[in-house]
Each structure stands twice: as structure tokens, then as C-alpha cells.
Amino acid sequence: MKAPDLPALTATSSVCRACPRLVAWREAVAADKRKAFAEEPYWGRPVTGWGSERPTVVMVGLAPAAHGGNRTWRIFTGDRSGDWLFASLHRVGMAMQATSVAAGDGQQLVDARMVASVRCAPPDNAPTPLERDSCAGWLDAELRLILPCARAVVCLGGYAWDSVARAMTRLGFDVPRPRPRFSHGASYEVDRLHVIGSYHPSQQNTFTGKLTERMLDEVLAEANQLAGNSA
Ligand code: SF4
């Protein structure tokens, strides 16, 4: 899949129906809704990347949350993972506001962009390998457009770590072999790009203390600094 620019990519990918299971799930969640959001419209479609069109830092996650991005249209917006992530992004100077709750909330990323490895919310946050591969074309298309400006890529979780390495290999980057193992703070440099791993800001990680505010701040600040955007 190729697109001449990000608006064209957003337009084409946001109507994709290539994965029957995910289409059914995203639409069922949007129809049933969570009680707390019963009066709100749900997006219920693929969630495209958002943020700067010329980012120096790119953040990659797994997929939109069923009642987060699948509801609000923006990845990491309107869910607990996003609450953690945006508080940290704001602390290190990469987001204008400390919260991200809705597409019209005025939030802006500073020289940064977010994208999901898989654009539709999957049951149990677990896309199948076939669904991952089906969506890879959209990820490749977005990275092809934004990586020329980027200096750092933050992979939020092991799934994103793998999907970024796969995508960059497909795009012709000389990704080290064997692929570096994922851990919090793991990194490698490839063709002037710094690729950095972070534990995902999921409740499973933040409630248990596996990921602390300080740990997340350090990784994001490092990425921002490597990209030349010191706070
Ligand atoms: Fe299309 Fe990706 Fe959604 Fe599958 S996950 S339907 S490929 S946008």
C-alpha cells in the first residue's frame, strides 16, 4: 500500500475492512458500548496515526483499545494507558496537555507522532499473525512517509518492538540480525534512527510497578533528546 501523503493514507486506511474478525469486533464494541460511554458515539473503524506530519519522534503501540481509540478515533486517547502516557509526554515536553481524552480536546503532540501496529481494536488486545500481516501495509505506508524526518522511534511494548523491526526491514533499513531483544530501555541504531523500547503503559504494568512514571519519563526524554528536541 502506498499513499502520496498522510491525509490520503488516513482517508484510505480508515475505511479498510480487510480483517473480518476485527471488523466484526470493532463494530460490535461500538454498537454495544461501555455503560460509562453509552451516550457517546464510538468511532468503530481503523485508527490512523496522529500528531505531527513531520515528526522527529515516532511512537508505536500495539492497537487501539476497544473503549479507547476505537471510541475516540485517536490511539492512546480515552483509556488508562493513554492517561499514563500523556502525563509522561507532557512532563518531558512532548505533549501540550497532560491528558488526551477526545479528538477535539486540543491536545497536540510536539514534533512527535503516534501510530498503531494494527489499526483495529482486537479482542483481548491480541491480533492474530494474519491480522498483523494484513495491517503491515498500512504501517509501512505511514512509516515510509514519516521516517525521513524522524530521529527516534519509541516502541511501546514488545509487540511494537517486533512490528517496528519487521516494518523497517521491509522498508530496507539495515536492522541488526539477530534482532535485538526487547526490554525497557533497550535500543539500537539503524541508518541514523534510534529505536528505543519501553514497557507498554498498560494497567498490568503500571499497577504492578513494572513500569513507573520515572521509567517512562526517562525513555521518552531520551528519545526526545536524541531527536534534538531537548525540553
Ligand atoms: Fe484493515 Fe488493519 Fe483493520 Fe485489518 S486491522 S481491517 S488491515 S485497518
Side-chain angles (χ1 to χ4, degrees), residues 1-6 8-10 12-13 136-138 140-142 144-145 171:
M1 301 159 189
K2 284 194 176 175
D5 52 35
L6 288 168
L9 176 62
T10 295
T12 51
S13 68
W138 296 126
D140 292 0
E142 183 135 4
R144 191 180 287 115
L145 289 168
L171 293 172

Side-chain angles (χ1 to χ4, degrees), residues 35-81:
K35 200 172 174 184
F37 308 122
E39 303 305 316
E40 295 183 23
Y42 271 57
W43 174 245
R45 290 161 60 182
V47 177
T48 59
W50 77 283
S52 169
E53 294 198 356
R54 295 180 57 78
T56 54
V57 179
V58 175
M59 289 167 277
V60 182
L62 195 170
H67 300 279
N70 189 55
R71 174 173 59 92
T72 62
W73 173 80
R74 282 195 329 211
I75 188 168
F76 287 116
T77 296
D79 59 52
R80 293 288 172 83
S81 297

Side-chain angles (χ1 to χ4, degrees), residues 111-126:
D111 296 318
R113 189 173 182 86
M114 290 180 174
V115 61
S117 302
V118 174
R119 293 180 178 231
C120 292
D124 300 321
N125 293 319

